[in-house]
Amino acid sequence: MPKLRIPNLAALPAGPRWLLRGVLLLCIILAGGAVTAYGGMALVVLLWAICMGGLCLLLQFTWQTAFPGTRLRDDKPFLYSWLIGSAVGIAVMAALILYRRTVYNDDAINYFAKQTLLFGSFSQSGFYGVHVLAESLLTADYKMFMNLFISVPYLFTGRTIQAFMICYALTCFVPMWFALLMLARRLGQAVPGSRPAWYLPLAMAFLVLWPMFLWPATHGMPDAFGLTFAAVILLLCADLRFDTLPPLRLAALFAATFALILTRRWYMFWIVAFYLFYAAAVLIGAARRRCLGRTFANLLRFGIPSVLCIVLPLALTFRTILTTDYADIYGAYYGGGFLTNCAAQLCTQGVIWLALCAAGLLIALLRPALRVPALVTAGSGVLAMVLFTNTQSLGDHQSLILAPLYLFGLFVLGAELSALRRPAAAGCTAAAIAFAVLNFGNALRLPGLNCSTLLLSSESLDLTRRTDLDQMKAVTDFVLENCPEDGTVYINVDSDGYSGTTFAYSDPAHPELQSRILWESSVPSTHGFPTGIWSSAYVMVTDRTDEGGIVGPINAALRTDTPAAAHYTYVTEFPLNGLTLYCYQRTSPPDQAEADYFKQVFAEYDARWPEIFSQRMDAYLSGSE
């Protein structure tokens, strides 16, 4: 019987050795129990160290694979471009965030709420924190994966919304810029005569000033972090060969794919599309080299176990995906399919940006060394968009699945410009950087001014500075004074920069507002009928009765003579910028007449989604909800 051999950690390089020690320490702590129960936040720090250490090792291995024999510290153009560009990018994001006095609303609140939940659960108990984290990673649509990378810097701040966003600029965007700049460097090597000292700063300027990156980043959505792993996948697959099965490369490729899935659910559209085109390109190349059988077998040896190792741990996530009609749920976000979304991208990115990307792709198709990578990148981008737009339209952050396609074209074009004769190269590179600055400047919309043009990006990095924080504080003070710990106030507003979340998360000094304030259910197919208006002691509405979805009818129900209004009495009102919140107190429980009224009001929605409208109302009245 062979003896069990304990791996010799001392023989490993320093990076993997410390990462394995961290994982072993985590396992020992979890097995020991005492620290797990009473030292939950210490576990958060350890998890952060493991995640960041693993990411650094992944990027280091990708660099060594993409640029063998080249040390990062010796590549001055790359290093300076990344460091200086990252400093500029963080400064731009911080300036936008701090100047605007950001207050969240709508979808932007999700990851800030996840960070609050992560810290809150681990503060209660390490066991409970591990349970909540595992449940999120394995089952939820919005997973806490990115929050692990944000944790430690954010842990030592005042835990404000602004601090949260600046922290993920440091821990999520800086490594993303590094990975994408590696991709730019690799593409530049395929263009003879390109000058890295000119080309890499240009690539970095496009990365840090792209409005499509900055809009979600300055609105609480670190979704672009997933492009870190997309860039790693592209770099590790750049040779378009699968003749051998090097273990480290396969492990890194699997880790990047798994991490990309954990980042956001919709990145899976890009993953599926890319690997389909990549496998086709690999097999066609193998057939030409007369090694099709071996290559096909290698793809299966890697692909089948990889799929199983992804699907089995995430079985609950995939079950939800396969059993959920996202086209129905996200019907409110659907804007007409593939062609309509293509037209929308024309406005979102601007004619000049798309023309530059198209020019770069055309150049790549004309160069033999870049032709197949260009076809794979373009094909995977288009197919990912086709798959995604079958369920919903591309929003400001979902458009990131097209980022590899756009950046591929821009990087190739930038490398070509830098390869021109010196005077022309200098002029073209300067003009391209000037365009990046102009495109960014056009997105900085001043209050009351709209100088948008089809030539430039239509993204709006609104410079409106909030001046209503004192008015909002009057609302939250009322909630704190009149709502007990186990009570709730329902705020029904979704316009003029306000929603229930803007109040629930507006005061970091009072996190209890996040549980005491229930916010508007604005999307019929996703939210359904808000029974919170029945269970809350107070409901706040506006005069905006013409708003679509659910918000307007709820406003009308309390502001006009209806069977619902009979259950409320007016208390007070709060003037805000552009509208007024009217506060009503619930004086009697809901009855059948009120339920029948709302069933009639929402009859159209109830016909499509009865389980979250009439059935939910009936369950509440019967006491089963």
Side-chain angles (χ1 to χ4, degrees), residues 90-151:
I90 292 171
V92 167
M93 290 172 60
L96 288 170
I97 291 164
L98 296 175
Y99 173 80
R100 291 172 53 227
R101 302 171 74 182
T102 300
V103 176
Y104 278 141
N105 66 342
D106 302 328
D107 188 56
I109 198 64
N110 283 311
Y111 284 103
F112 183 69
K114 290 290 184 185
Q115 199 73 49
T116 302
L117 176 61
L118 179 70
F119 282 7
S121 58
F122 273 96
S123 295
Q124 290 185 42
S125 162
F127 287 119
Y128 180 64
V130 171
H131 166 74
V132 171
L133 177 61
E135 184 178 42
S136 171
L137 294 178
L138 299 179
T139 66
D141 270 351
Y142 286 90
K143 301 180 185 298
M144 291 182 181
F145 179 67
M146 290 187 287
N147 297 103
L148 291 173
F149 293 84
I150 305 167
S151 294

Side-chain angles (χ1 to χ4, degrees), residues 512-530:
E512 64 269 26
L513 289 169
Q514 298 165 23
S515 60
R516 295 187 192 183
I517 294 178
L518 302 181
W519 49 83
E520 79 295 334
S521 295
S522 57
V523 184
S525 60
T526 304
H527 298 146
F529 177 74

Side-chain angles (χ1 to χ4, degrees), residues 567-590:
H567 295 271
Y568 295 90
T569 183
Y570 170 83
V571 177
T572 187
E573 59 190 63
F574 302 95
L576 302 171
N577 287 357
L579 54 80
T580 300
L581 271 182
Y582 301 92
C583 179
Y584 292 86
Q585 185 175 15
R586 186 90 193 181
T587 57
S588 58

